[in-house]
Amino acid sequence: GTRPMEVLACTPPPASVANPDRNNATRLVFPGPSYALAEVVVRQNDAGEWALYAEKDFAFGKRVYEFWRCDWPFGGRSPIDMVASTKLGKYDLAEGTVINIDPHLCAAKKDRSGHYQFSGFDLFASHSCKPNLTCNDIHEDEDDEWQGAYATRDIKSGEVLTIDFNSVFWDRSSS
């Protein structure tokens, strides 16, 4: 197809696009990846876009990180400012780091009822048609929202972590 192979998940809108909700964004404090014992880091690339990176090598099939998924705050009607909490580990953002995220512009998945889902640092995984991650329920027999991100191939330290948005955004259970 004509789609780009890599599209960053939380690409900010161009400066020419006015975002009336930006000044009204609610600030929510969130823990960094070390809280989930994840060896990944959220950082900006050379273009200033936020992305998720591996901080160690991961072998095919290994769990890279876990995350909790819930409904987007305030029904997904407006952006939020994610504020980094106390830095607990070397992979966490500096305390007080603020990242504005809009569910309409980033990788926020919708559930079957159409509600945007919020998953913390997992929102910064990038899109790829040939991803290095896939996500799945951790405890499929339990009614909770813990998800695991697993390596679909060997991943090298410093590599951008990617998922195929096409495989997570649409319910294909009836097809």
Side-chain angles (χ1 to χ4, degrees):
T2 59
R3 291 187 304 181
M5 290 300 288
E6 302 291 330
V7 178
L8 289 174
C10 275
T11 305
S16 61
V17 176
N19 182 351
D21 292 327
R22 174 61 183 99
N23 294 331
N24 297 325
T26 301
R27 288 185 162 222
L28 297 174
V29 176
F30 78 102
S34 70
Y35 181 77
L37 304 177
E39 294 179 285
V40 300
V41 64
V42 175
R43 68 173 182 249
Q44 289 178 296
N45 63 18
D46 293 338
E49 300 161 328
W50 294 97
L52 191 61
Y53 295 84
E55 284 298 311
K56 73 171 211 164
D57 293 346
F58 292 95
F60 168 77
K62 293 295 182 183
R63 187 181 307 164
V64 177
Y65 60 87
E66 297 177 2
F67 61 96
W68 177 263
R69 188 177 67 200
C70 62
D71 284 346
W72 192 274
F74 313 107
R77 292 183 303 274
S78 61
I80 62 168
D81 282 340
M82 290 177 69
V83 182
S85 66
T86 303
K87 185 173 177 145
L88 299 175
K90 63 182 178 178
Y91 305 128
D92 293 343
L93 293 167
E95 183 175 353
T97 300
V98 177
I99 304 172
N100 179 263
I101 54 175
D102 185 327
H104 305 99
L105 300 175
C106 73
K109 177 182 177 181
K110 288 185 178 183
D111 66 10
R112 290 179 187 204
S113 62
H115 296 116
Y116 282 106
Q117 298 291 288
F118 179 80
S119 56
F121 65 87
D122 177 67
L123 287 171
F124 299 102
S126 299
H127 168 73
S128 175
C129 293
K130 296 180 180 178
N132 56 19
L133 294 177
T134 188
C135 298
N136 199 1
D137 291 336
I138 291 177
H139 309 288
E140 292 190 31
D141 59 334
E142 294 181 23
D143 188 23
D144 67 18
E145 296 297 330
W146 276 106
Q147 302 285 302
Y150 300 87
T152 60
R153 60 171 175 74
D154 290 347
I155 300 172
K156 297 290 182 195
S157 178
E159 192 174 335
V160 173
L161 297 174
T162 60
I163 59 171
D164 180 357
F165 292 167
N166 296 314
S167 69
V168 296
F169 285 149
W170 295 286
D171 176 13
R172 297 180 182 201
S173 60
S174 62
S175 50

